[in-house]
Amino acid sequence: MIGNYPLHLMILVLLWGYIYTGWSLMGRLGMVSFGHGAFMGIGAYTVVMLWNHFGLSPWLGAPAALALTAAVALVIAYPCFRFKIVGHYFALVTLALSEVTRLVITAMRDVTGGSLGATPNGALTEGRSVAIGALQFSDKWVWLAIIFAFWLLGLWVWRLVDRGMGRLALQAISEDEEAAASIGIHVTRAKLQVTLVSALMTCTGGILYAQYQLYVNPDTVSGIAISLQMVFGVIAGGMFVMLGPTVGAAFTLLLAEGLRLAFGNKYPALDTTIYGAMLVLFIIFMPKGILGALLDLVRRPRRAS
Amino acid sequence: MLSLSDISAAYGGFQALFGVSLEVRAGESVAVIGPNGAGKTTLLRLISKLIEPTQGTISFQDNSLVHVPPHQVVGRGIAHVPENRRLFPRLTVEENLRMGAFTAREKYQERLSLVYELFPRMKERRAQPAGTLSGGEQQMCAIGRALMSGPKLLLLDEPSAGLAPVVVQSIFELVRKICREGYTVLIVEQNIRQVLKVVERAYLLEAGKIKMQGPSQDFLRSEEIRKAYLGL
Amino acid sequence: MEIFDIYLLEAVLNGLLLGGLLALLSLGLNLIFGVIDVVWICYAELIMCGMYAVYYLHVQYHWPLYAAMPAAIVIVAMLGVLLHQLVIKPVLAAEPINQLLVTGGVLFFLQAAATLAFGIDFKNLGVSLPAVRIGEMSFSAARLIAFGAAVLGVLGLFVFLRKTYLGTAIRAISQDRAIMPLMGVSPGRIYTLTSALGGALAGLGSCLLVLQYDVHPAIGLSFGPITFLICVMGGLGSMAGGLIAAFVFAQFISVGGFFFAVEWGYVIAFAFFIGMMFVRPQGLFRR
């Protein structure tokens, strides 16, 4: 029997793996978004707020959150792609989106509880470990099953995008938009589709995160910090291979947990200091990420022989 | 003064020069002519060390230039007027000239008046952003900027490119004037007829190799040159 | 009604004072971007380091402020050089995205290192400056000083860029990087110098901020994002655009905060920013 803590870690790895996979759909096309914190925050807060204030089941709250996410994603992404806002500009514009979301959640403190966060009203009474209508489960195995399913779905979406658009077309978009347009790819539309899928995945990730943790806080589900965390997780794993984001999620989470267990009590923040330093070293020396670099190592000798 | 021997160079992944040897003596004006893509610009970029040779030696005033970093070449007395002039468009004319004197600040005032004397037009336009100058004026400014460093050798890359015919005339007039002032000049040109009237000696560069060299009079008389390049 | 107007005027004037400070902050970032073509995502964390430097030198080691502040400026300038040499230089030839991210890693690192070294509690300089009253309105002296110093800093940089060889080279390098060696200028040296200068501006910013705000490891997050957005709205690398955008943003924050809660002032400013992307996608003053 697996204990609760390892089970919790597995759930988090898969959940973040799913979210990072969603982020990478955009990232590998050169659309480095610092705005995914917004989608996650919208997902988490919409569902929890509708449940707490209107008693609306997450099953109905989720479509509302997805619709809101889709609208926000399109409103931001359309002008960006239409006016060819790329690179630094795109990153910083999306960063604005993250911050707006965090600030709106904080500013609506009468409703959201502000920076103190909020807890979904509990539906689990004594003797009940499953509340399907409220999407609350006390059994971690149920969560593992749900989130594993979503993780698989994420990989399937990755594959679908890969196949559907063709690897060459994807690369054409990321490297040279004009060339892509000249071979008949509607660049803006293709980018919008990918963005939409990516945003919706992140949004569902936010919903699941809120329902699993039974706690939301503007600083942990939205804003610049969480957006950077996604980017770094993906960079660490490697964004150009399907399992890269998941490897990144596992690596960063286990590293953070390991460091926390090793130093946590004696030296608070030593773990995050080492973590930050490692991120910097990663980007300098291993820009393709762990999995990317490993695959290169495996492939290179073959090519040579 | 400047001597290249058996130089090869690659540029942008393909080899542009094959065993080129070339000599410029003090006080001389020398042209390198040839068709588009012959490697003329590469040759000049090589001399100012913007690219490294893959083989061969370059020396200037009996000192090797091979291991000199590009930003120290100007200090040794070689000024390069690059292809397309490459002024700083949002700096004023005078600021462009000041950049030319970056390595020779103590002589700035003296050289500034020298350049203004040579190009009175630049004095009129000195407070204007260089990007707003006409093509010919930009070329003057670019040459002036190079002269601000007080060079012993001036490298000119296609000074007449992209200019109206009337302006081309006046630019070559200027080049002639600069040669008479005693500067040593190495000029790369496609406007072969004009440049041969200005310089004393010339090299013909074709497909990265020197095909012919000699006094410019010989070039003007050569049947081959007349047919292939002068359209006579 | 009259009282109301006076308070609104006070908010507008406070916005002006804030604008000066934001202008100074955005200037350093813009300078770095214009010259090196890299965005220091960790810029606000450098400022945080400077604030701690002032705090520790003054409170712990009892240096007078007039010594602690210049020392902090020098320290942050050196941090800027270190950042460039250790982190930026290795990725100068890498993908622009990696350049952006690597400084994001430094952000995490500095935040965590500050927590490790200084703890998470808010630290206050303990200098209380009087409020200046003008009629019905009152302004904090710290803000007035910050505004004055920021204006001086901006002017100083302007003169440096206009009047000196190095300043001219800094302006030139953003216009044509490749031919700088032909001028006898080593781009590497200019990068290092610019990093020091950008750091010094961050250092000056930290001296002015520490007069008004408590310092804690996460303080960078509270004004870092707004600084980036000012730069983007003004057109990355365009200093004039950044200055104007700083004052526009400051008004949104100050006047918006006057009518609603402070966060809404920020939200309005950010929303305005996103709206601007539709109208002028390349920033107000794209070069």
Side-chain angles (χ1 to χ4, degrees), chain A residues 10-249:
Chain A
M10 272 169 76
I11 291 170
L12 284 186
V13 165
L14 289 176
L15 179 57
W16 286 115
Y18 166 70
I19 294 173
Y20 293 178
T21 305
W23 185 93
S24 307
L25 289 179
M26 286 177 76
R28 66 181 188 141
L29 295 188
M31 296 182 271
V32 170
S33 160
F34 286 170
H36 276 48
F39 306 136
M40 187 162 170
I42 291 173
Y45 264 91
T46 309
V47 168
V48 173
M49 290 304 116
L50 287 176
W51 168 248
N52 279 4
H53 294 287
F54 301 101
L56 199 65
S57 158
W59 294 97
L60 296 172
L66 289 170
L68 186 58
T69 297
V72 170
L74 290 179
V75 164
I76 296 301
Y78 181 74
C80 282
F81 301 152
R82 178 80 181 62
F83 298 120
K84 301 224 160 57
I85 293 168
V86 291
H88 292 128
Y89 273 87
F90 185 75
L92 293 175
V93 170
T94 50
L95 185 143
L97 178 66
S98 277
E99 281 298 296
V100 169
T101 314
R102 184 178 69 84
L103 288 166
V104 167
I105 293 171
T106 314
M108 292 169 70
R109 50 174 62 81
D110 295 340
V111 183
T112 60
S115 54
L116 294 177
T119 305
N121 291 339
L124 300 173
T125 46
E126 265 176 66
R128 259 183 95 193
S129 69
V130 174
I132 292 186
L135 202 64
Q136 293 180 16
F137 313 101
S138 63
D139 189 345
K140 284 200 171 10
W141 285 101
V142 177
W143 276 113
L144 184 64
I146 294 173
I147 283 167
F148 183 67
F150 270 92
W151 178 72
L152 282 180
L153 178 79
L155 297 186
W156 181 68
V157 169
W158 171 287
R159 194 134 223 223
L160 216 61
V161 171
D162 223 32
R163 291 256 171 93
M165 305 184 67
R167 191 172 279 280
L168 276 176
L170 288 176
Q171 261 163 10
I173 292 174
S174 70
E175 265 151 35
D176 186 354
E177 293 207 356
E178 266 155 45
S182 71
I183 56 171
I185 299 169
H186 194 309
V187 176
T188 303
R189 193 191 301 155
K191 280 184 155 186
L192 274 180
Q193 284 168 349
V194 171
T195 303
L196 206 54
V197 171
S198 169
L200 292 178
M201 280 175 71
T202 310
C203 173
T204 48
I207 297 171
L208 293 171
Y209 183 81
Q211 296 303 125
Y212 171 66
Q213 300 278 38
L214 286 178
Y215 174 68
V216 284
N217 182 301
D219 295 319
T220 54
V221 297
S222 66
I224 179 178
I226 197 74
S227 304
L228 278 174
Q229 184 199 312
M230 290 184 204
V231 183
F232 285 123
V234 172
I235 293 284
M239 67 170 117
F240 298 102
V241 274
M242 186 164 73
L243 286 176
T246 308
V247 170

Side-chain angles (χ1 to χ4, degrees), chain C residues 78-97:
Chain C
M78 289 188 324
L79 280 178
V81 172
L82 269 182
L83 175 70
H84 181 76
Q85 297 292 334
L86 297 181
V87 176
I88 304 290
K89 218 172 172 185
V91 296
L92 268 181
E95 308 251 323
I97 283 152

Side-chain angles (χ1 to χ4, degrees), chain A residues 32 75-76 79 83 85 88-89 91-93 96 100 103 107 109 224 231-232 235 268-270 272-273 280 283-284 287, chain C residues 33 90 97-98 100-101 104-106 108-109 112-113 115-116 221 229 232 235-236 263-264 266 270 273-274 277-278 281 286:
Chain A
V32 170
V75 164
I76 296 301
F83 298 120
I85 293 168
H88 292 128
Y89 273 87
L92 293 175
V93 170
V100 169
L103 288 166
R109 50 174 62 81
I224 179 178
V231 183
F232 285 123
I235 293 284
L270 181 59
T272 30
T273 309
V280 174
I283 298 164
I284 295 175
Chain C
F33 180 81
I97 283 152
N98 287 347
L100 194 66
L101 290 178
V106 176
F108 267 140
F109 173 75
T115 312
L116 187 64
L221 290 183
L229 298 185
V232 174
L236 268 180
E263 285 93 353
W264 286 112
Y266 278 91
F270 282 119
F273 164 75
I274 289 169
M277 299 314 296
F278 284 91
R286 180 73 177 156

